[in-house]
Amino acid sequence: MSKIILNTIINSNIHTVFDLARDIDLHQKSTFKTGEKAIAGRTSGLIEYGETVTWKAKHLGVIQTLTTKIISMEKPFQFIDVMLKGAFKSMKHQHIFRQEGKNTIMTDIFEFESPLGIIGKIFNKIYLKNYMISFLLERNKLIKVTAEKKYQSTNIES
């Protein structure tokens, strides 16, 4: 099992960051390189506890689908999604949010296991883990920029 832990410091309030992290439309914007599209389940707006979403995208030159379900949610502090169907042997993504002063610390804990036994483990080490880190960082960058822009415009108006 591979594990990725990322912390992103965002100058915005926890509620804004939490909602952006579960925004299907924003996620699709962050994955324009892979053409990721929500095709079933929740396909736009904010995903909620118990809901599923099926994504279709081109990863590693292959069109793939991935269905995930939100199995835990405590607004605005955390939510967890797991893979129901897809290319991984297993996948779990914990999204954790903590307010520190004017900043929100967004933590991703992304755990996955590739199929194909030893071949999958080798592929993880030499390529897939770094690919997934880049994928998550791209998503987090858009969440950060969007949240900080909203926060700045709110504070200017006050």
Side-chain angles (χ1 to χ4, degrees), residues 35-52:
E36 195 153 318
K37 180 98 175 113
I39 60 168
R42 168 68 79 157
T43 58
S44 67
L46 303 181
I47 196 158
E48 297 288 349
Y49 172 74
E51 291 186 325
T52 64

Side-chain angles (χ1 to χ4, degrees), residues 78-110:
Q78 65 85 20
F79 68 96
I80 299 170
D81 59 281
V82 296
M83 182 190 78
L84 298 178
K85 289 191 330 193
F88 294 108
K89 184 175 179 182
S90 67
M91 187 215 80
K92 177 181 178 183
H93 188 176
Q94 297 176 65
H95 309 256
I96 302 165
F97 307 87
R98 184 176 81 250
Q99 188 81 49
E100 284 191 7
K102 293 182 178 181
N103 293 325
T104 297
I105 311 302
M106 181 175 73
T107 301
D108 291 280
I109 303 172
F110 188 81

Side-chain angles (χ1 to χ4, degrees), residues 111-126:
E111 299 171 277
F112 65 97
E113 190 173 356
S114 296
L116 306 176
I118 191 74
I119 294 170
K121 286 180 183 181
I122 293 168
F123 184 65
N124 274 2
K125 281 191 192 276
I126 62 172

Side-chain angles (χ1 to χ4, degrees), residues 13 45 59 61 67 73-74 81 96 109 134 138 142 146:
N13 73 71
H59 291 285
T67 302
M73 183 177 288
E74 183 186 348
D81 59 281
I96 302 165
I109 303 172
S134 295
E138 192 69 32
L142 184 59
T146 305

Side-chain angles (χ1 to χ4, degrees), residues 1-5 94 108-112 129 133:
M1 174 94 49
S2 292
K3 182 187 262 191
I4 298 166
I5 300 173
Q94 297 176 65
D108 291 280
I109 303 172
F110 188 81
E111 299 171 277
F112 65 97
K129 188 171 183 180
I133 290 169

